[in-house]
Amino acid sequence: MSDYQHILVAVDFSEHGNHVALKAKALAHFYQAKLSLVHVVDTASLVSLNYELELPYTSLDDLLIDTSKKKLNELNHDLQLESEQKWVKMGSSHNEIIKAANENSVDLIVIGSHAHHGLRILLGSTANAILHRAKCDVLAVRLNHD
Ligand code: AMP
């Protein structure tokens, strides 16, 4: 098995996110690899939200990006992830996660097997798209739902 040097964990702030992040942390320790975090403010999921909130798009974008940065910092602190980088991206979640991996020499992406929330069910699976399109290895952490 190859030694991983840079592991990227995709964080969606769902109820199972900590479990996925802790798996990535354990792998990073095992391989003595760098660990980075990425969250994507998924613009496809925001379309209906924008109608409800009646905020200018830029204000909503800024709010979501700021909130996401804070939540990533909290996760990093609470789970003592000691992550090298914390990225908040905007756009399509699978595209942005794969792009972040490609641009930063990531050799393993860690994701949850599914999140099953909101519009994502209708729009298709982020996990599936990453598994099929990433250039590096992908670990899908099995998430059991009651
Ligand atoms: P899904 O296929 O959308 O149910 O999500 C599967 C996994 O993809 C999640 O457990 C996360 O690891 C990752 N993921 C999904 N959406 C996002 C997002 N917006 N930002 C970062 N990671 C995400």
Side-chain angles (χ1 to χ4, degrees), residues 9-14 16-17 20 38-42 45 89 91-94 97 110-117 120-121 124-130 141 143:
V9 57
V11 176
D12 63 359
F13 304 133
S14 69
H16 298 285
V20 176
V38 63
H39 173 74
V40 182
V41 176
D42 196 323
S45 306
K89 307 282 184 185
S92 139
S93 43
H94 62 269
I97 292 164
V110 178
I111 54 174
S113 56
H114 53 75
H116 282 243
H117 56 257
R120 200 67 55 69
I121 297 163
S125 157
T126 305
N128 202 39
I130 293 172
V141 177
L143 302 176

Tab-separated table of all heavy atoms in Angstrom, residues 9-14 16-17 20 38-42 45 89 91-94 97 110-117 120-121 124-130 141 143, ligand 1:
chain	number	residue	atom	x	y	z
A	9	VAL	N	-10.063	15.932	3.818
A	9	VAL	CA	-11.373	15.458	4.271
A	9	VAL	C	-12.438	16.481	3.894
A	9	VAL	O	-12.275	17.678	4.126
A	9	VAL	CB	-11.368	15.117	5.789
A	9	VAL	CG1	-10.955	16.281	6.651
A	9	VAL	CG2	-12.732	14.608	6.229
A	10	ALA	N	-13.498	15.988	3.250
A	10	ALA	CA	-14.607	16.843	2.808
A	10	ALA	C	-15.649	16.899	3.922
A	10	ALA	O	-16.232	15.882	4.293
A	10	ALA	CB	-15.216	16.289	1.522
A	11	VAL	N	-15.863	18.100	4.440
A	11	VAL	CA	-16.706	18.301	5.620
A	11	VAL	C	-18.007	18.974	5.207
A	11	VAL	O	-17.990	20.066	4.628
A	11	VAL	CB	-15.967	19.204	6.641
A	11	VAL	CG1	-16.860	19.507	7.833
A	11	VAL	CG2	-14.656	18.573	7.081
A	12	ASP	N	-19.142	18.328	5.491
A	12	ASP	CA	-20.433	18.929	5.099
A	12	ASP	C	-21.241	19.421	6.301
A	12	ASP	O	-22.384	19.837	6.153
A	12	ASP	CB	-21.261	17.953	4.252
A	12	ASP	CG	-21.634	16.697	5.028
A	12	ASP	OD1	-21.238	16.571	6.204
A	12	ASP	OD2	-22.326	15.844	4.453
A	13	PHE	N	-20.650	19.323	7.510
A	13	PHE	CA	-21.301	19.748	8.759
A	13	PHE	C	-22.571	18.952	9.058
A	13	PHE	O	-23.427	19.400	9.802
A	13	PHE	CB	-21.619	21.256	8.757
A	13	PHE	CG	-20.421	22.137	8.506
A	13	PHE	CD1	-20.487	23.180	7.589
A	13	PHE	CD2	-19.236	21.929	9.184
A	13	PHE	CE1	-19.382	23.993	7.345
A	13	PHE	CE2	-18.123	22.736	8.951
A	13	PHE	CZ	-18.204	23.768	8.030
A	14	SER	N	-22.708	17.777	8.478
A	14	SER	CA	-23.850	16.919	8.810
A	14	SER	C	-23.569	16.217	10.139
A	14	SER	O	-22.464	16.288	10.680
A	14	SER	CB	-24.085	15.880	7.705
A	14	SER	OG	-23.025	14.946	7.718
A	16	HIS	N	-22.925	13.295	10.848
A	16	HIS	CA	-21.877	12.272	10.828
A	16	HIS	C	-20.502	12.839	10.485
A	16	HIS	O	-19.537	12.093	10.355
A	16	HIS	CB	-22.226	11.185	9.805
A	16	HIS	CG	-23.495	10.462	10.130
A	16	HIS	ND1	-23.572	9.518	11.133
A	16	HIS	CD2	-24.742	10.580	9.619
A	16	HIS	CE1	-24.806	9.058	11.212
A	16	HIS	NE2	-25.538	9.696	10.304
A	17	GLY	N	-20.456	14.160	10.345
A	17	GLY	CA	-19.203	14.794	9.898
A	17	GLY	C	-18.025	14.531	10.822
A	17	GLY	O	-16.896	14.329	10.340
A	20	VAL	N	-16.422	11.135	10.196
A	20	VAL	CA	-15.615	11.133	8.969
A	20	VAL	C	-14.284	11.848	9.217
A	20	VAL	O	-13.214	11.355	8.840
A	20	VAL	CB	-16.397	11.813	7.805
A	20	VAL	CG1	-15.545	11.904	6.552
A	20	VAL	CG2	-17.699	11.070	7.533
A	38	VAL	N	-11.912	20.685	3.668
A	38	VAL	CA	-12.614	21.528	2.695
A	38	VAL	C	-14.119	21.451	2.938
A	38	VAL	O	-14.651	20.380	3.221
A	38	VAL	CB	-12.266	21.140	1.225
A	38	VAL	CG1	-12.712	19.722	0.879
A	38	VAL	CG2	-12.855	22.145	0.239
A	39	HIS	N	-14.758	22.617	2.892
A	39	HIS	CA	-16.224	22.666	2.874
A	39	HIS	C	-16.638	23.479	1.656
A	39	HIS	O	-16.036	24.513	1.354
A	39	HIS	CB	-16.787	23.317	4.135
A	39	HIS	CG	-18.271	23.513	4.038
A	39	HIS	ND1	-19.162	22.456	4.151
A	39	HIS	CD2	-19.024	24.608	3.770
A	39	HIS	CE1	-20.387	22.914	3.976
A	39	HIS	NE2	-20.335	24.207	3.740
A	40	VAL	N	-17.680	23.024	0.976
A	40	VAL	CA	-18.180	23.751	-0.192
A	40	VAL	C	-19.570	24.305	0.103
A	40	VAL	O	-20.466	23.556	0.511
A	40	VAL	CB	-18.244	22.831	-1.440
A	40	VAL	CG1	-18.712	23.627	-2.660
A	40	VAL	CG2	-16.898	22.182	-1.697
A	41	VAL	N	-19.704	25.610	-0.055
A	41	VAL	CA	-21.031	26.229	-0.019
A	41	VAL	C	-21.632	25.934	-1.394
A	41	VAL	O	-21.213	26.505	-2.401
A	41	VAL	CB	-20.932	27.742	0.247
A	41	VAL	CG1	-22.310	28.384	0.184
A	41	VAL	CG2	-20.262	28.012	1.584
A	42	ASP	N	-22.540	24.962	-1.391
A	42	ASP	CA	-23.032	24.416	-2.660
A	42	ASP	C	-24.087	25.334	-3.265
A	42	ASP	O	-25.201	25.419	-2.757
A	42	ASP	CB	-23.583	23.006	-2.413
A	42	ASP	CG	-23.761	22.231	-3.697
A	42	ASP	OD1	-24.147	22.843	-4.714
A	42	ASP	OD2	-23.515	21.019	-3.686
A	45	SER	N	-27.667	24.108	-4.070
A	45	SER	CA	-28.612	23.962	-2.968
A	45	SER	C	-29.145	25.302	-2.488
A	45	SER	O	-30.086	25.350	-1.717
A	45	SER	CB	-27.931	23.273	-1.781
A	45	SER	OG	-27.360	22.075	-2.182
A	89	LYS	N	-14.949	26.726	-0.200
A	89	LYS	CA	-15.135	26.989	-1.625
A	89	LYS	C	-16.605	27.224	-1.892
A	89	LYS	O	-17.467	26.863	-1.095
A	89	LYS	CB	-14.668	25.783	-2.457
A	89	LYS	CG	-13.259	25.321	-2.146
A	89	LYS	CD	-12.249	26.219	-2.800
A	89	LYS	CE	-10.835	25.716	-2.569
A	89	LYS	NZ	-9.841	26.635	-3.106
A	91	GLY	N	-19.594	26.712	-4.976
A	91	GLY	CA	-19.887	26.129	-6.283
A	91	GLY	C	-20.506	24.759	-6.133
A	91	GLY	O	-21.241	24.503	-5.191
A	92	SER	N	-20.168	23.881	-7.076
A	92	SER	CA	-20.675	22.513	-7.022
A	92	SER	C	-19.760	21.704	-6.099
A	92	SER	O	-18.537	21.734	-6.258
A	92	SER	CB	-20.675	21.933	-8.435
A	92	SER	OG	-20.242	20.608	-8.421
A	93	SER	N	-20.344	21.010	-5.116
A	93	SER	CA	-19.504	20.396	-4.085
A	93	SER	C	-18.499	19.401	-4.672
A	93	SER	O	-17.302	19.492	-4.369
A	93	SER	CB	-20.342	19.783	-2.968
A	93	SER	OG	-21.426	19.091	-3.465
A	94	HIS	N	-18.928	18.481	-5.516
A	94	HIS	CA	-17.954	17.483	-5.998
A	94	HIS	C	-16.876	18.123	-6.876
A	94	HIS	O	-15.705	17.789	-6.773
A	94	HIS	CB	-18.642	16.299	-6.695
A	94	HIS	CG	-19.407	16.648	-7.913
A	94	HIS	ND1	-20.736	16.982	-7.883
A	94	HIS	CD2	-19.038	16.723	-9.211
A	94	HIS	CE1	-21.148	17.222	-9.107
A	94	HIS	NE2	-20.142	17.088	-9.932
A	97	ILE	N	-14.389	20.006	-4.565
A	97	ILE	CA	-13.565	19.084	-3.758
A	97	ILE	C	-12.480	18.464	-4.641
A	97	ILE	O	-11.300	18.418	-4.269
A	97	ILE	CB	-14.456	17.998	-3.098
A	97	ILE	CG1	-15.362	18.643	-2.041
A	97	ILE	CG2	-13.600	16.901	-2.474
A	97	ILE	CD1	-16.532	17.783	-1.584
A	110	VAL	N	-11.041	11.865	1.766
A	110	VAL	CA	-11.909	11.116	2.682
A	110	VAL	C	-13.279	11.793	2.709
A	110	VAL	O	-13.381	13.006	2.953
A	110	VAL	CB	-11.312	11.066	4.110
A	110	VAL	CG1	-12.244	10.324	5.060
A	110	VAL	CG2	-9.936	10.394	4.084
A	111	ILE	N	-14.319	10.999	2.443
A	111	ILE	CA	-15.693	11.512	2.408
A	111	ILE	C	-16.594	10.571	3.197
A	111	ILE	O	-16.224	9.423	3.465
A	111	ILE	CB	-16.228	11.604	0.956
A	111	ILE	CG1	-16.086	10.246	0.262
A	111	ILE	CG2	-15.541	12.695	0.175
A	111	ILE	CD1	-16.709	10.174	-1.109
A	112	GLY	N	-17.797	11.043	3.551
A	112	GLY	CA	-18.812	10.151	4.087
A	112	GLY	C	-19.487	9.443	2.926
A	112	GLY	O	-19.509	9.954	1.805
A	113	SER	N	-20.045	8.273	3.204
A	113	SER	CA	-20.650	7.515	2.095
A	113	SER	C	-21.894	8.229	1.559
A	113	SER	O	-22.238	8.098	0.412
A	113	SER	CB	-20.985	6.087	2.546
A	113	SER	OG	-21.811	6.101	3.679
A	114	HIS	N	-22.538	8.996	2.417
A	114	HIS	CA	-23.657	9.820	1.965
A	114	HIS	C	-24.047	10.771	3.086
A	114	HIS	O	-23.717	10.538	4.246
A	114	HIS	CB	-24.869	8.984	1.558
A	114	HIS	CG	-25.288	8.019	2.615
A	114	HIS	ND1	-25.945	8.409	3.750
A	114	HIS	CD2	-25.089	6.678	2.735
A	114	HIS	CE1	-26.158	7.348	4.517
A	114	HIS	NE2	-25.636	6.294	3.931
A	115	ALA	N	-24.762	11.804	2.727
A	115	ALA	CA	-25.256	12.739	3.744
A	115	ALA	C	-26.778	12.697	3.828
A	115	ALA	O	-27.353	12.872	4.883
A	115	ALA	CB	-24.789	14.151	3.434
A	116	HIS	N	-27.411	12.467	2.691
A	116	HIS	CA	-28.869	12.344	2.638
A	116	HIS	C	-29.604	13.523	3.256
A	116	HIS	O	-30.432	13.363	4.134
A	116	HIS	CB	-29.333	11.049	3.320
A	116	HIS	CG	-29.124	9.862	2.465
A	116	HIS	ND1	-30.135	9.071	2.006
A	116	HIS	CD2	-28.002	9.342	1.958
A	116	HIS	CE1	-29.649	8.102	1.252
A	116	HIS	NE2	-28.358	8.251	1.220
A	117	HIS	N	-29.272	14.717	2.820
A	117	HIS	CA	-30.015	15.850	3.335
A	117	HIS	C	-30.468	16.751	2.192
A	117	HIS	O	-29.828	16.812	1.146
A	117	HIS	CB	-29.179	16.655	4.342
A	117	HIS	CG	-27.874	17.111	3.793
A	117	HIS	ND1	-26.691	16.493	4.103
A	117	HIS	CD2	-27.571	18.099	2.937
A	117	HIS	CE1	-25.705	17.103	3.459
A	117	HIS	NE2	-26.215	18.080	2.755
A	120	ARG	N	-29.900	17.532	-1.959
A	120	ARG	CA	-28.833	16.672	-2.453
A	120	ARG	C	-29.371	15.350	-2.976
A	120	ARG	O	-28.858	14.780	-3.916
A	120	ARG	CB	-27.838	16.444	-1.316
A	120	ARG	CG	-26.468	15.993	-1.719
A	120	ARG	CD	-25.725	17.064	-2.496
A	120	ARG	NE	-25.670	18.305	-1.779
A	120	ARG	CZ	-24.964	18.516	-0.676
A	120	ARG	NH1	-24.259	17.558	-0.166
A	120	ARG	NH2	-24.947	19.672	-0.104
A	121	ILE	N	-30.466	14.863	-2.328
A	121	ILE	CA	-31.036	13.585	-2.734
A	121	ILE	C	-31.514	13.688	-4.184
A	121	ILE	O	-31.337	12.791	-4.988
A	121	ILE	CB	-32.198	13.191	-1.796
A	121	ILE	CG1	-31.664	12.994	-0.382
A	121	ILE	CG2	-32.905	11.938	-2.277
A	121	ILE	CD1	-32.750	13.011	0.681
A	124	GLY	N	-28.358	14.219	-6.830
A	124	GLY	CA	-27.377	13.167	-7.049
A	124	GLY	C	-26.311	13.204	-5.975
A	124	GLY	O	-26.179	14.163	-5.235
A	125	SER	N	-25.519	12.170	-5.919
A	125	SER	CA	-24.616	11.967	-4.801
A	125	SER	C	-23.245	12.595	-5.037
A	125	SER	O	-22.584	12.341	-6.031
A	125	SER	CB	-24.487	10.469	-4.580
A	125	SER	OG	-23.315	10.173	-3.932
A	126	THR	N	-22.833	13.410	-4.050
A	126	THR	CA	-21.481	13.974	-4.082
A	126	THR	C	-20.466	12.835	-4.000
A	126	THR	O	-19.469	12.810	-4.724
A	126	THR	CB	-21.283	14.911	-2.867
A	126	THR	OG1	-22.321	15.882	-2.871
A	126	THR	CG2	-19.938	15.600	-2.898
A	127	ALA	N	-20.735	11.901	-3.068
A	127	ALA	CA	-19.821	10.772	-2.867
A	127	ALA	C	-19.624	10.016	-4.181
A	127	ALA	O	-18.487	9.710	-4.578
A	127	ALA	CB	-20.388	9.847	-1.801
A	128	ASN	N	-20.705	9.747	-4.874
A	128	ASN	CA	-20.632	8.996	-6.124
A	128	ASN	C	-19.801	9.730	-7.172
A	128	ASN	O	-18.939	9.142	-7.839
A	128	ASN	CB	-22.066	8.778	-6.623
A	128	ASN	CG	-22.148	7.620	-7.568
A	128	ASN	OD1	-21.475	6.614	-7.355
A	128	ASN	ND2	-22.939	7.753	-8.605
A	129	ALA	N	-20.039	11.025	-7.300
A	129	ALA	CA	-19.315	11.819	-8.304
A	129	ALA	C	-17.816	11.849	-7.985
A	129	ALA	O	-16.974	11.724	-8.887
A	129	ALA	CB	-19.877	13.237	-8.345
A	130	ILE	N	-17.475	11.993	-6.691
A	130	ILE	CA	-16.054	12.040	-6.323
A	130	ILE	C	-15.407	10.683	-6.580
A	130	ILE	O	-14.300	10.600	-7.130
A	130	ILE	CB	-15.891	12.474	-4.844
A	130	ILE	CG1	-16.341	13.927	-4.679
A	130	ILE	CG2	-14.446	12.320	-4.386
A	130	ILE	CD1	-16.402	14.422	-3.247
A	141	VAL	N	-16.217	6.702	3.957
A	141	VAL	CA	-16.469	6.158	5.298
A	141	VAL	C	-17.949	5.776	5.384
A	141	VAL	O	-18.832	6.611	5.153
A	141	VAL	CB	-16.144	7.227	6.382
A	141	VAL	CG1	-16.469	6.693	7.774
A	141	VAL	CG2	-14.678	7.647	6.285
A	143	LEU	N	-21.477	5.302	6.510
A	143	LEU	CA	-22.312	5.967	7.500
A	143	LEU	C	-23.612	5.181	7.639
A	143	LEU	O	-24.301	4.950	6.656
A	143	LEU	CB	-22.614	7.410	7.069
A	143	LEU	CG	-21.393	8.296	6.844
A	143	LEU	CD1	-21.818	9.668	6.336
A	143	LEU	CD2	-20.579	8.434	8.120
B	1	AMP	P1	-23.556	13.170	-0.371
B	1	AMP	O1	-23.099	12.246	-1.473
B	1	AMP	O2	-23.945	14.507	-0.854
B	1	AMP	O3	-24.614	12.523	0.453
B	1	AMP	O4	-22.302	13.462	0.587
B	1	AMP	C1	-21.325	12.478	0.842
B	1	AMP	C2	-20.097	13.099	1.454
B	1	AMP	O5	-19.558	14.106	0.575
B	1	AMP	C3	-20.316	13.814	2.782
B	1	AMP	O6	-20.308	12.910	3.881
B	1	AMP	C4	-19.115	14.747	2.802
B	1	AMP	O7	-17.929	14.050	3.170
B	1	AMP	C5	-19.008	15.149	1.329
B	1	AMP	N1	-19.761	16.388	1.053
B	1	AMP	C6	-21.037	16.501	0.617
B	1	AMP	N2	-21.392	17.785	0.470
B	1	AMP	C7	-20.310	18.507	0.838
B	1	AMP	C8	-20.023	19.910	0.917
B	1	AMP	N3	-20.936	20.830	0.580
B	1	AMP	N4	-18.792	20.299	1.318
B	1	AMP	C9	-17.854	19.384	1.641
B	1	AMP	N5	-18.068	18.053	1.597
B	1	AMP	C10	-19.270	17.616	1.201
